[in-house]
Amino acid sequence: MNVRAKLALTIGLTGLFTALGVVLALVFAYERFEHESSYYRADAFLKRITAQHSDLLGMRERFGDDFNGFLANLVLYEPDTDLYLLDPQGHVLNTTSQAPMAKDYQVSMAPVVLAASDDPMPYVLGDNPASMDSRVVVAARALRPMSIAPSPAPAGYLYLVTRPMGITGSSNQAALRSVLTQPFVVMILAVVAFSTLLAAWITATVTRPLKRLTGAVNRISASGLQAPDPDHPQESRVPWDLPDTRSQDEFGQLARGIGAMLQTLRQQWSTMHRLDHFRREGVSNLSHDLQSPLTATTTCLETLDHRWANAPERQPDRQLVEVALRNTRNAARLVHSLGDLARLDEPSFQLKTERLNLGELLDDVSMRFAERARQGGVSITVTDDLDQRPAIAKVDVQLLERAVANLVDNALKFSPDGSHLVLSAQSVKAPQGTLARITVRDHGPGIDPKDLPHLFDRFYQSRSHVAPATGEGGKGLGLAIVKRIAELHGGQLSVSSAPGAGTEVTLDLPAG
């Protein structure tokens, strides 16, 4: 979720909660108003009754069973109210309610005493004897018997239970229904909705430059920092279509900062690109220029070695020639490898692919190294699982053969006499699809764990087991070439090894 969507969601939720808060505040205010108005009406009603009939307890004794009728006449013009006569403990003595009550039902006296006090208060909620599971607005007046010396303790209470007009069930639900039907509530909700929409519109307007800036940065990320084509100068306008940088607000400052940063990055990238191109071109030219004199030097040294092969007096000189010849050949291989890497690193380099059974390629490579392996006392085996489909892939045959040859060459250097080298090609299932897998496993001394992360780095050589410098692998370029060839084919290299347990190199290529 982007920033604009988050802001819009925040504004929408704020408006919704504001509307809910307004409605709830109105509900509570309306409910409080209902309670207060009901309490004041009931309290005034009881004041009138006690003022007109100061000896209600004596009247109860005189009227007997007819006293309930007297109380009913008192509330005749007070709808939705019930009048009760309570004893000091809260037991109902007389009532105007027709609802049945539990035997020995006792009203909670704390609200009764509070309502009967002379201290002014908003309202009092107490028990409703007709519905024992609800609390309603109540009013009360303390009753004392008529005597020359009035008793300080009340002999009973006149208890009035009120129910707001139109309330059936929960008072909150009734208040909510009543509030929501009022026109002013609709107006408040409309104002909240309008304010929310206005805030959303203002936010969208203010953040529009941020959206354009994000889009421009995304386009730059997708297209890179490549300089535009000189034949299409219209593509060289700033950058890349950044928002208006003349604005003085924070977005304008951010756009100008990003524009300056991109210009700097573009210049640095162009400089680095030129230097990298110069490096590759220089290495390639140097490799090409050195091959001829190194070849000539190798030829001369080989000629001298053959001339002095049967001359005993020249044996000391011949030993010097052998050293020079070995180092010249190593230098030639190194120069050739540097040239190959420079060629493979060229962005314009293209593979010449064709579908190939990788098992056949391994057969060719094993035959190529068969004599060298025999001389070193190492056996080479190419395994093929007949139960699986053959490993078929679209590859550049020449490059892939070079990569596998480098792996086999490196494995032979570290394989002791009498060991075994296994080459295999198989088709495997993977989460990213079917892969053609080439595996080269030796039984050499293995690789130290600290060397594994750097095994395919250029010019890196393990110090634990340094092979004789007889090939490009001895200079740390053989495996680097294998890695680059794998990358060009969209494949991956992995190594599994432990000291004393041999090494297994796996090359995974997309099957095709």
Side-chain angles (χ1 to χ4, degrees), residues 366-385:
S366 65
M367 293 176 61
R368 174 178 165 185
F369 286 91
E371 180 59 26
R372 176 180 165 187
R374 186 187 63 78
Q375 294 178 358
V378 179
S379 62
I380 299 180
T381 303
V382 178
T383 63
D384 189 9
D385 193 346

Side-chain angles (χ1 to χ4, degrees), residues 218-226 240:
N218 289 336
R219 288 193 295 273
I220 296 169
S221 300
S223 60
L225 297 174
Q226 180 66 39
W240 311 292

Side-chain angles (χ1 to χ4, degrees), residues 10 55 178 186 218 327 447-448 477:
T10 301
D55 190 19
S178 179
V186 178
N218 289 336
N327 285 280
I447 303 173
D448 193 285
L477 291 178

Side-chain angles (χ1 to χ4, degrees), residues 450-451 459-466:
K450 70 176 185 298
D451 294 323
F459 299 105
Y460 180 82
Q461 290 178 285
S462 171
R463 298 307 177 193
S464 301
H465 300 282
V466 179

Side-chain angles (χ1 to χ4, degrees), residues 168-229:
T168 57
S170 173
S171 59
N172 288 336
Q173 295 178 357
L176 179 61
R177 288 194 299 269
S178 179
V179 167
L180 292 180
T181 57
Q182 302 299 322
F184 72 91
V185 177
V186 178
M187 294 178 59
I188 291 176
L189 295 179
V191 170
V192 171
F194 175 76
S195 302
T196 302
L197 294 176
L198 181 62
W201 177 76
I202 293 175
T203 301
T205 302
V206 171
T207 58
R208 188 174 294 118
L210 180 61
K211 180 182 179 181
R212 295 200 299 267
L213 183 62
T214 304
V217 172
N218 289 336
R219 288 193 295 273
I220 296 169
S221 300
S223 60
L225 297 174
Q226 180 66 39
D229 189 348

Side-chain angles (χ1 to χ4, degrees), residues 101-331:
M101 288 181 293
K103 186 178 180 180
D104 297 330
Y105 175 76
Q106 188 175 5
V107 176
S108 177
M109 291 304 297
V112 176
V113 174
L114 184 63
S117 67
D118 295 330
D119 297 331
M121 58 194 66
Y123 61 89
V124 178
L125 295 179
D127 292 343
N128 181 9
S131 178
M132 291 182 290
D133 58 346
S134 65
R135 293 177 63 82
V136 294
V137 176
V138 298
R141 275 288 179 267
L143 302 178
R144 293 177 176 82
M146 296 296 292
S147 63
I148 296 175
S151 173
Y157 291 91
L158 188 62
Y159 184 64
L160 183 68
V161 174
T162 67
R163 297 185 301 274
M165 292 289 292
I167 291 184
T168 57
S170 173
S171 59
N172 288 336
Q173 295 178 357
L176 179 61
R177 288 194 299 269
S178 179
V179 167
L180 292 180
T181 57
Q182 302 299 322
F184 72 91
V185 177
V186 178
M187 294 178 59
I188 291 176
L189 295 179
V191 170
V192 171
F194 175 76
S195 302
T196 302
L197 294 176
L198 181 62
W201 177 76
I202 293 175
T203 301
T205 302
V206 171
T207 58
R208 188 174 294 118
L210 180 61
K211 180 182 179 181
R212 295 200 299 267
L213 183 62
T214 304
V217 172
N218 289 336
R219 288 193 295 273
I220 296 169
S221 300
S223 60
L225 297 174
Q226 180 66 39
D229 189 348
D231 297 333
H232 301 84
Q234 69 275 10
E235 298 181 3
S236 61
R237 55 192 175 85
V238 172
W240 311 292
D241 195 22
L242 286 176
D244 187 6
T245 57
R246 294 172 297 178
S247 175
Q248 298 303 315
D249 60 9
E250 289 79 0
F251 290 117
Q253 297 175 19
L254 179 62
R256 289 193 293 273
I258 292 180
M261 180 185 66
L262 289 175
Q263 291 288 5
T264 302
L265 288 175
R266 188 174 183 178
Q267 293 173 0
Q268 293 177 346
W269 188 90
S270 299
T271 302
M272 183 181 67
H273 180 69
R274 289 195 301 271
L275 291 176
D276 185 62
H277 177 72
F278 174 77
R279 175 190 63 81
R280 290 195 303 268
E281 186 177 12
V283 171
S284 179
N285 292 337
L286 182 62
S287 173
H288 181 270
D289 293 341
L290 288 176
Q291 285 180 8
S292 296
L294 287 173
T295 301
T297 303
T298 301
T299 302
C300 294
L301 292 173
E302 288 176 346
T303 301
L304 289 175
D305 184 58
H306 284 101
R307 286 181 181 178
W308 296 340
N310 297 320
E313 70 279 5
R314 287 288 190 175
Q315 289 304 314
D317 296 332
R318 189 185 176 198
Q319 292 177 356
L320 296 176
V321 169
E322 289 178 352
V323 173
L325 182 60
R326 183 171 63 250
N327 285 280
T328 303
R329 287 171 176 168
N330 289 341

